[in-house]
Amino acid sequence: MSSDEQRPEPDEQDTTPAADTGRDDSDTTEVESRADENTDGSVDSADPADPSETDDAERTEPDDVDDARTPRSGPSRVLVFLGLALALASLVVAVVFGEMWRRAADSDDVRIAESREAVVAAAGTAVVAFTGLDSEKPDEYFRRQKEIATGDLLKEIEATEQQYREAISQAKTTVDAQVADVAVEELNVHEGKALALAVVELTITQEKDSGTKTLRMQLHLERDRGGADSDGSSEQAWKVSGISPVEYGASG
């Protein structure tokens, strides 16, 4: 009995390790599962940290985008600067040429106005020279006409001077001419030609008789390109190339 009763002890000893082995296995399994859970948990626990990193990444993305866009925005800025420069240059050119055009226009207006005044003065002088008369001073009469005449009219005066000189001396007449009005009908500054109408009032005295008369004269004038004005200025003088009386309501 003593030997038999002692035999189960090896069984108990044999089974005990088996039980322990099972426990160890279960414990190992639980450890592995816990390790797995810890691993999963570590992975899962890493996920909450990712948003901050993601936010940091997202925050850096615009800078990266801006950095990526910077090379593309460079040429556009250059184009903008070039456009502004061209616009400024165009404005400067417009202002400069506009000022030049304005000065040229003003210069032409001034030149036309001055020429018109010169034509009026020349026409008035010519009317007095051709209609005014003092029979006792024939030399002065022809001198005034020669000074203001040009072209064919001047040639005609020179050709008929002696013939009219004798008639004037015998007339015993004085004619006082007063210019009432002069109007410039046509004026071409570039060609140097003009057409004027003048109204002159005459007071005629012959011995003891006297009377008045109003004449309307048409005058063709040309700029004397080879001479100076009668007052000695360097400006080209306007002279008469033709003169004739016209009726009221009619013009040449």
Side-chain angles (χ1 to χ4, degrees):
M1 289 291 293
S2 59
S3 61
D4 295 333
E5 291 175 354
Q6 293 178 351
R7 286 179 182 175
E9 291 178 0
D11 294 336
E12 291 177 358
Q13 292 178 355
D14 294 336
T15 57
T16 300
D20 293 340
T21 302
R23 289 177 184 176
D24 294 338
D25 294 339
S26 62
D27 293 340
T28 303
T29 303
E30 290 177 359
V31 171
E32 291 177 355
S33 62
R34 289 178 182 177
D36 295 335
E37 290 177 357
N38 291 333
T39 304
D40 296 337
S42 62
V43 173
D44 295 338
S45 61
D47 293 338
D50 292 338
S52 60
E53 295 178 356
T54 304
D55 293 340
D56 295 338
E58 290 177 355
R59 291 175 184 174
T60 56
E61 284 180 357
D63 297 335
D64 296 338
V65 172
D66 292 339
D67 295 339
R69 290 179 179 176
T70 300
R72 292 196 299 270
S73 61
S76 63
R77 292 178 182 175
V78 172
L79 292 177
V80 170
F81 290 145
L82 288 177
L84 292 175
L86 290 175
L88 181 60
S90 300
L91 179 61
V92 171
V93 171
V95 170
V96 171
F97 280 95
E99 182 65 17
M100 292 176 62
W101 179 86
R102 185 186 65 79
R103 290 183 179 181
D106 292 343
S107 178
D108 288 341
D109 292 341
V110 171
R111 184 181 179 186
I112 291 173
E114 291 177 349
S115 297
R116 185 177 295 275
E117 292 179 358
V119 168
V120 169
T125 301
V127 168
V128 172
F130 280 92
T131 59
L133 174 64
D134 185 351
S135 60
E136 295 181 358
K137 299 178 180 179
D139 292 340
E140 182 178 348
Y141 175 74
F142 288 107
R143 180 183 60 78
R144 293 200 309 264
Q145 292 183 0
K146 290 178 183 179
E147 287 179 351
I148 196 65
T150 187
D152 293 339
L153 179 60
L154 177 59
K155 294 177 180 179
E156 182 180 352
I157 293 170
E158 293 173 344
T160 60
E161 179 179 353
Q162 293 300 325
Q163 179 182 350
Y164 283 105
R165 181 184 289 273
E166 184 177 353
I168 289 171
S169 299
Q170 295 176 356
K172 306 295 182 179
T173 302
T174 301
V175 180
D176 180 39
Q178 296 293 329
V179 178
D181 189 21
V182 177
V184 179
E185 287 197 334
E186 298 177 7
L187 175 61
N188 191 322
V189 176
H190 299 288
E191 293 183 3
K193 295 182 179 181
L195 177 65
L197 290 175
V199 178
V200 57
E201 295 178 352
L202 305 177
T203 301
I204 304 170
T205 302
Q206 188 174 17
E207 294 182 351
K208 296 181 179 180
D209 296 330
S210 64
T212 60
K213 186 176 182 179
T214 301
L215 292 178
R216 188 168 180 257
M217 309 293 291
Q218 183 182 71
L219 302 94
H220 293 270
L221 299 97
E222 296 180 2
R223 185 186 291 117
D224 185 13
R225 302 183 183 279
D229 204 349
S230 59
D231 60 358
S233 63
S234 59
E235 295 293 332
Q236 295 173 342
W238 287 86
K239 294 189 175 183
V240 179
S241 59
I243 182 171
S244 60
V246 294
E247 298 179 359
Y248 282 93
S251 62

